[in-house]
Amino acid sequence: MADMARRYLDHLVDDILPWWLAHGPDPARGGVHTCWDNLGQQLVSRDKYTWSQGRWAWLASAVALAAQDGWLPVDPEPWRRTAVDTARHIRDHAMLPDGTTAFVTTDDGQPKETTPGQGLHTSIFADFFTALGWAGLARLGADPDDDWAGRARTLYDSAVDRIAAGPVRTDPYPVPPGYGSWALPMITIGVGNELFAATGDQAVAERVRAAMDTLDESYLRGDDGLEMPVLDPELADPDSLHARHRTPGHVLECLWFLDDARAVVGDHPLTDRARLTAIALRALEIGWDPQYGGLLRYVDAAGGEPSGTVQVDAEADPHGTPDPYALLVTETWGTKLWWIHSEATWTCELLAARTADPEICVWRDSVRDWTLERFPAGPGQEWVQNRDRAGTPITRTVALPVKDPMHIARAWLRIAELEQRGELHP
């Protein structure tokens, strides 16, 4: 396992982090450029998506903190600088008068509509990721001239309250009426964990616990994670594509959020590692591609290609076009994506370390080996992030037209942290 631990660390320190530090920060205008093509060779847009800016601020803070603590062998100073610069860029350019965030700004920081007439604030996820970035900076303590913890807490509370009041905007893919969205309690937990780590605020812990209760009560059927459960039977169809499809990567990513939440809420049904392992095994079993290997983006509740009826709002669209999310599921279910495989690798390593469960250890090896064989782009490069079912690179946009900076670096950073504590399981 020592050789594998060194391989993880070397890939992070020699390839992933240097590529992003060289290609991401924009010292001239502030923030970070993330709209690179899948191969990492061409900047296809200079727009700055707030979603990505917040993620970068958190990641840069986490890298700087790890380097500052002495276990990550990189210079913390450039990471501190870009964390502060990006957090300030969001504060100064992406915040709207009502306290929400613009989904995207121009290169020089002017908020813009992604679709004319749809408004500037189109996704609560941009709010959550901004709060995440500010919480990371608060934990780092690199910019005491502003109350980053207070800013993060205000935006987080606002987002959680708006979810409770509902409905909320969730672009780039709206949730149809009557359905839930696994991503909403999940992001409440994940960002809440980071905010609690920065502040120790028990009120944040209570919001995390409430989101975990919601996840357990409405989004899990035994060990099966429901991406879009039917919450209102008068509006939603349990036999629909929305209700039947599963997103294994989301479930696997959320499991390490739940494990982290042990430090925030203490004991909870969803901090029981035996239960987390059972949920992981279910996601891996239905998500693994029996033909090509790797994890499919979407699958049916019974495994394989998603099925079910597709509801159409005839009043809104007389032509009967399925909604954007249904099209996404049917057209891209077989793709193999960077975020799913990086998150699955980290979750499997974590659960193997925490439980030594023999099944999860076998899955850990399969996921890790498939991922490392196909995704890294070579020495000094990051990953070719989007691939088709057979593993060939594709150019199709996934959610946002960006080469996402967070998932891979975050997963490898967490694995490196586990290794430096001597906890990786052989």
Side-chain angles (χ1 to χ4, degrees):
M1 197 63 193
D3 289 344
M4 181 53 64
R6 172 52 59 181
R7 187 177 177 187
Y8 277 129
L9 184 63
D10 287 350
H11 185 37
L12 176 67
V13 172
D14 296 341
D15 305 322
I16 298 169
L17 295 181
W19 191 91
W20 273 109
L21 196 59
H23 293 82
D26 180 7
R29 297 178 177 83
V32 58
H33 284 131
T34 60
C35 294
W36 294 90
D37 68 0
N38 191 30
L39 300 178
Q41 297 175 352
Q42 181 179 355
L43 192 64
V44 297
S45 171
R46 302 187 74 88
D47 284 346
K48 291 171 178 168
Y49 287 84
T50 303
W51 179 326
S52 298
Q53 303 299 305
R55 287 177 163 189
W56 177 262
W58 178 88
L59 175 64
S61 297
V63 171
L65 189 60
Q68 186 175 287
D69 289 346
W71 62 263
L72 186 67
V74 301
D75 181 2
E77 187 53 36
W79 293 99
R80 278 198 293 263
R81 286 198 303 269
T82 190
V84 172
D85 175 76
T86 306
R88 290 176 176 175
H89 183 81
I90 303 170
R91 177 197 66 189
D92 295 343
H93 298 287
M95 297 308 298
L96 300 173
D98 65 357
T100 64
T101 60
F103 189 57
V104 63
T105 70
T106 61
D107 192 16
D108 60 358
Q110 300 300 311
K112 60 181 285 189
E113 292 184 325
T114 50
T115 302
Q118 291 298 306
L120 296 171
H121 175 71
T122 59
S123 180
I124 200 164
F125 297 118
D127 294 343
F128 274 114
F129 286 124
T130 292
L132 177 71
W134 288 346
L137 195 62
R139 190 175 184 187
L140 179 61
D143 188 20
D145 292 335
D146 202 336
D147 179 15
W148 295 108
R151 287 185 182 277
R153 173 66 193 279
T154 297
L155 189 54
Y156 176 79
D157 284 344
S158 170
V160 174
D161 289 343
R162 279 178 277 138
I163 290 172
V168 293
R169 299 285 295 275
T170 58
D171 285 15
Y173 300 108
V175 179
Y179 295 93
S181 170
W182 175 282
L184 293 176
M186 173 180 164
I187 199 168
T188 301
I189 296 162
V191 176
N193 288 343
E194 296 298 324
L195 187 54
F196 181 84
T199 65
D201 191 328
Q202 287 300 317
V204 173
E206 289 307 310
R207 288 187 177 274
V208 171
R209 178 178 288 278
M212 293 171 72
D213 291 342
T214 297
L215 200 69
D216 198 21
E217 294 163 5
S218 300
Y219 291 82
L220 283 162
R221 185 181 298 139
D223 300 330
D224 186 21
L226 313 184
E227 181 70 18
M228 283 189 174
V230 173
L231 300 184
D232 186 343
E234 294 186 3
L235 297 175
D237 177 7
D239 294 320
S240 69
L241 178 77
H242 292 89
R244 288 192 56 84
H245 87 286
R246 303 291 186 263
T247 309
H250 246 167
V251 173
L252 292 165
E253 181 183 6
C254 189
L255 293 180
W256 71 258
F257 288 10
L258 294 169
D259 194 76
D260 275 6
R262 177 186 299 271
V264 180
V265 304
D267 289 337
H268 185 279
L270 290 183
T271 60
D272 177 353
R273 287 175 177 143
R275 176 129 189 249
L276 297 183
T277 300
I279 296 169
L281 290 172
R282 159 73 179 172
L284 291 161
E285 287 161 3
I286 66 169
W288 192 258
D289 186 344
Q291 182 174 357
Y292 294 103
L295 289 162
L296 297 162
R297 185 178 191 181
Y298 302 113
V299 294
D300 189 71
E305 183 175 357
S307 64
T309 59
V310 176
Q311 294 172 272
V312 175
D313 186 342
E315 183 177 342
D317 182 5
H319 301 291
T321 305
D323 73 83
Y325 189 83
L327 287 173
L328 180 77
V329 172
T330 56
E331 293 177 359
T332 72
W333 69 274
T335 52
K336 308 288 172 63
L337 303 183
W338 82 101
W339 71 266
I340 291 172
H341 288 81
S342 56
E343 297 294 348
T345 300
W346 160 230
T347 294
C348 288
E349 287 285 9
L350 176 67
L351 291 176
R354 295 285 186 258
T355 69
D357 180 275
E359 286 187 83
I360 207 70
C361 289
V362 170
W363 275 111
R364 182 270 315 272
D365 293 348
S366 296
V367 171
R368 177 195 64 207
D369 293 348
W370 199 93
T371 298
L372 289 176
E373 182 180 338
R374 287 163 179 82
F375 281 96
Q381 302 297 309
E382 199 225 33
W383 288 13
V384 178
Q385 294 187 355
N386 306 323
R387 295 176 176 272
D388 67 13
R389 188 174 179 184
T392 303
I394 57 176
T395 58
R396 181 184 178 122
T397 295
V398 177
L400 303 182
V402 302
K403 186 176 179 67
D404 185 88
M406 183 182 71
H407 288 282
I408 306 164
R410 180 177 67 177
W412 258 239
L413 187 67
R414 294 298 297 266
I415 294 170
E417 184 179 14
L418 198 68
E419 189 281 329
Q420 67 90 27
R421 296 199 301 259
E423 296 181 22
L424 279 185
H425 190 275

